[in-house]
Amino acid sequence: IGTGFAYLLEGLNTLFGFLLFLTGKLLDFAIEFSINPVGDLYRSDTVSTAWNLLRDIINMSFIFILLYIAIGTVLNINGVDWKKQVSQIIIAAILVNFSLFITRVVIDAGNILANSFYTEMVSCETTPCPDGDGNPRDRVGISERFMNALGIPIIHDLKPGDFNMNQLSGWTGVGNAFVKMVVILIAIWVFLSAAILFIARTFALVFILILSPIGIAGANLPLLSSQAKRWREELFKQSLLGVVFLFFVFVILTFSYT
């Protein structure tokens, strides 16, 4: 009975192993796409068009604000200080037109640093990574590095001789198969969570780029100061997310291979 149950669990492990392989590929894609230093998405026409639209709207609003300041100055409306407010509008108007460039510089700086950790991890120069047939490779994904560290075989590298039937005999086999299942399921959850994190980061950075006129100009406009503060916090948070995440992954994998 124990042996049969062990074979059943091992069959489920084969299915979960395939799911782990898929989530690993998703993770590799999500990370590479998100930290690409010259990512096409961050420089796409869609982002530029949306940014231009918002920039033009804000520039037009400056005209109405200046008109209000002029009227307020003539009518001596309380709270209108044309010397202070006009200088704020001029600085904001200049910054708005450079907001996309400034934001891209911050994002690219984080992505370049994150990409340096990623490149070191996936490169096979320092840590050899032959395929299932022993052939050398130039690079592998982070997911495969993790699976190798955990001792989980890669689906495309499996061969019939890799299955040890003695490990599936009796209730000891059930324990071995169950432990293996737990490790695989935890790995699936970690890979999927990290993939979702980087996919969310990618879309967040796109919206940060589009909303950069508000974030940059708002620093000099009291009306938009709270929104600008939230924008800046999100910009640095998302820019550093890739760096911090991949740094700790780099440390973990370095210790696991030593």
Side-chain angles (χ1 to χ4, degrees):
I1 297 176
T3 301
F5 195 47
Y7 275 104
L8 176 61
L9 290 179
E10 191 63 22
L12 291 175
N13 284 340
T14 302
L15 174 61
F16 291 143
F18 181 69
L19 292 177
L20 178 61
F21 173 76
L22 293 179
T23 53
K25 290 300 180 183
L26 177 63
L27 173 61
D28 295 339
F29 170 79
I31 292 178
E32 290 184 12
F33 190 73
S34 183
I35 66 171
N36 188 348
V38 290
D40 293 335
L41 182 61
Y42 304 137
R43 287 171 168 75
S44 65
D45 293 336
T46 303
V47 171
S48 298
T49 301
W51 175 82
N52 284 327
L53 177 61
L54 184 58
R55 181 203 59 183
D56 293 342
I57 292 174
I58 292 179
N59 282 333
M60 289 178 59
S61 69
F62 288 154
I63 298 175
F64 292 104
I65 294 173
L66 289 172
L67 182 61
Y68 171 78
I69 293 173
I71 295 173
T73 302
V74 172
L75 299 179
N76 197 24
I77 297 176
N78 189 30
V80 174
D81 183 356
W82 72 270
K83 292 182 180 180
K84 177 181 178 181
Q85 293 169 339
V86 168
S87 63
Q88 289 176 336
I89 293 297
I90 293 174
I91 294 174
I94 295 173
L95 291 176
V96 160
N97 291 281
F98 291 96
S99 60
L100 185 62
F101 171 76
I102 295 171
T103 307
R104 279 176 174 166
V105 168
V106 175
I107 293 174
D108 284 347
N111 283 348
I112 290 172
L113 186 55
N115 196 62
S116 64
F117 288 118
Y118 182 79
T119 302
E120 182 68 22
M121 284 184 286
V122 301
S123 174
C124 295
E125 292 182 4
T126 55
T127 305
C129 41
D131 59 19
D133 297 323
N135 300 317
R137 289 180 290 179
D138 295 329
R139 55 181 284 155
V140 295
I142 283 183
S143 62
E144 187 166 335
R145 288 291 195 193
F146 264 114
M147 285 189 274
N148 287 334
L150 293 172
I152 302 174
I154 314 302
I155 292 296
H156 56 71
D157 288 342
L158 286 176
K159 299 183 291 294
D162 292 334
F163 294 95
N164 189 346
M165 299 304 178
N166 294 327
Q167 294 181 352
L168 300 178
S169 61
W171 293 106
T172 302
V174 173
N176 292 334
F178 180 75
V179 171
K180 182 178 178 181
M181 179 182 293
V182 170
V183 172
I184 292 176
L185 289 176
I186 292 175
I188 290 175
W189 180 79
V190 171
F191 285 178
L192 188 59
S193 299
I196 293 173
L197 182 69
F198 274 91
I199 292 172
R201 175 185 185 268
T202 302
F203 285 102
L205 289 177
V206 168
F207 282 104
I208 286 171
L209 285 166
I210 294 173
L211 297 175
S212 59
I214 295 176
I216 298 295
N220 288 280
L221 298 176
L223 185 63
L224 298 175
S225 59
S226 61
Q227 290 84 350
K229 181 181 179 181
R230 290 177 56 190
W231 178 88
R232 290 193 300 271
E233 290 175 350
E234 196 66 23
L235 170 62
F236 288 109
K237 171 186 172 183
Q238 296 298 337
S239 297
L240 292 174
L241 186 149
V243 178
V244 174
F245 180 90
L246 291 173
F247 169 75
F248 282 106
V249 172
F250 175 76
V251 171
I252 292 170
L253 290 179
T254 299
F255 278 106
S256 67
Y257 278 97
T258 54

